[in-house]
């Protein structure tokens, strides 16, 4: 029984004709267009307020011999 199932599956796989790449791409495009139509139509907006630290005193310099 198992051998018959494997044989039928192998024949079914071999019986499939190779797909034309142009048809495959057209089908994929159609699928993407259909999915895009079902997506919600909204936009997210994010506002970022940045503040920068300004040093009030000058930075201390190290002596070159100490480094």
């Amino acid at each position: 029984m198992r051998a018959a199932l494997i044989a039928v599956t192998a024949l079914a796989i071999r019986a499939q004709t190779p797909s034309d790449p142009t048809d495959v791409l057209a089908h994929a495009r159609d699928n993407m267009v259909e999915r895009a139509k079902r997506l919600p139509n909204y936009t997210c907006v994010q506002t970022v307020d940045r503040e920068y630290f300004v040093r009030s005193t000058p930075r201390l310099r190290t002596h070159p011999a100490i480094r």
Side-chain angles (χ1 to χ4, degrees), residues 4 7 9 12 16-17 23-29 32-34 36 43 45 53-54 57 60 62-64:
T9 304
Q16 293 178 353
T17 58
D23 293 338
V24 172
L25 288 174
H27 183 68
R29 183 194 64 231
M32 292 303 294
V33 168
E34 286 302 315
T43 304
V45 177
F53 174 75
V54 178
T57 59
L60 297 176
T62 60
H63 193 275

Side-chain angles (χ1 to χ4, degrees), residues 3 8 12 16-19 21-23 31-32 36 39 41 44 51-52 54 64:
V8 169
Q16 293 178 353
T17 58
S19 300
T22 305
D23 293 338
N31 283 342
M32 292 303 294
L39 288 175
N41 188 14
C44 295
E51 295 181 19
Y52 295 95
V54 178

